[in-house]
């Protein structure tokens, strides 16, 4: 591939917003995505609804039209797919960026196709928009990699009548527990903290609290799963004692963190909470490397969403256009 002005890593909503901004600024670009377009949304629970309204998910001034107040997963997939098609965005799906190096022209990106074919992309600037959803926080316990364990929840149907343990106390765990219970699943939550997280959606938290109070969903607080077996999990109480909880399947919904290992070697500066050091244009400590959306906010992923992350892309691309124009660089 010849030199491009901007290589965008990640085809989520923020990466697509960056591509649209590049296109409108007259910059050549390519979007490199290791999965499908908006792959993280594709991995969301099948019947998930967003926290917010449609206008707050829009990119490129393309209206999102839905038949209900809060868009669901299917609405979002259709919307971002149509925006990609109508804008004719240059997206290379199933192309993983494995390493980024500094180069005379800017950066060299090593990539690998789904079939294992390697390749190289040369770019003057790089915009990283990889999010964090594809990198779950590991529990680091025996049995975590078993076939009866998942860090992602899809839907309840396969688990009707089974014993299912949900590890976690945030939005993902709350939604999963309620959906499983409503589908005839015997649900038990194991929570390390003394209570549910305060960040749970305001209309979901009372529902879950009431189900726990009435005994429809069992919740063990101040507890943690320390082993996972095919037919049970081992739960440790706050005092260190353990017991076995019958379990057919476990959902470990304990959160996610950005994975920027493909940038190893560039010596990115970080803050004490693991967030990257970024300027007002979301440029990192490496000149020409921009990190937008939640990818740069490892310690604050609960503060950066599509709703605000999409605007990072506009700031970053505007600065890239300014830098290239200032240097008299003609668009590639």
């Amino acid at each position: 591939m010849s030199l491009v002005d901007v290589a965008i890593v990640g085809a989520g909503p923020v990466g697509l917003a960056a591509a649209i901004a590049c296109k409108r600024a007259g910059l050549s670009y390519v979007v490199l995505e290791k999965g499908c377009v908006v792959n993280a949304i594709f991995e969301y629970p099948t019947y998930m609804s967003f926290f917010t309204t449609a206008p707050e998910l829009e990119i490129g001034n393309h209206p999102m039209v839905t038949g209900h107040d809060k868009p669901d997963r299917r609405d979002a997939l259709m919307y971002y797919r149509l925006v990609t098609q109508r804008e004719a965005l240059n997206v290379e799906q199933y192309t993983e960026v494995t390493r980024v190096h500094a180069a005379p022209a800017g950066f060299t990106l090593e990539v690998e196709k789904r079939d294992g074919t390697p390749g190289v992309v040369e770019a003057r600037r790089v915009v990283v928009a990889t999010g964090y959803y594809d990198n779950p926080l590991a529990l680091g316990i025996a049995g975590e990699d078993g076939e009866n364990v998942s860090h992602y929840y899809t839907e309840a149907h396969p688990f009707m009548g089974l014993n299912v343990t949900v590890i976690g106390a945030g939005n993902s765990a709350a939604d999963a527990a309620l959906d499983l219970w409503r589908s005839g699943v015997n649900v038990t939550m194991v929570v390390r903290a003394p209570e549910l997280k305060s960040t749970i959606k305001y209309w979901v938290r009372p529902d879950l609290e009431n189900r726990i109070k009435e005994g429809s969903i069992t919740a063990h607080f101040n507890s943690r799963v320390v082993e996972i077996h095919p037919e049970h999990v081992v739960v440790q109480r706050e005092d260190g004692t353990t017991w076995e909880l019958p379990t057919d399947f476990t959902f470990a919904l304990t959160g996610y963190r950005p994975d920027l290992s493909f940038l190893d070697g560039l010596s990115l500066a970080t803050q004490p909470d693991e967030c990257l050091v970024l300027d007002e244009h979301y440029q990192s400590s490496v000149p020409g490397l921009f990190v937008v959306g939640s990818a740069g906010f490892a310690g604050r992923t609960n503060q950066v969403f599509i709703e605000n992350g999409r605007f990072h892309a506009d700031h970053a691309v505007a600065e890239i256009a300014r830098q290239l124009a200032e240097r008299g660089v003609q668009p590639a």
Side-chain angles (χ1 to χ4, degrees), residues 9 30 83 104 114 151 176 201 217 225 250 263 290-291 303 305:
V9 187
V30 61
V83 169
R114 181 163 51 177
H151 288 279
K201 292 170 284 191
I217 294 174
V225 173
T250 299
L263 299 177
F290 295 75
V291 184
Q303 298 177 21
F305 309 98

Side-chain angles (χ1 to χ4, degrees), residues 248-262:
D248 298 301
F249 200 91
T250 299
F251 286 103
L253 306 177
T254 53
Y256 309 87
R257 281 291 185 275
D259 179 9
L260 300 178
S261 58
F262 64 95

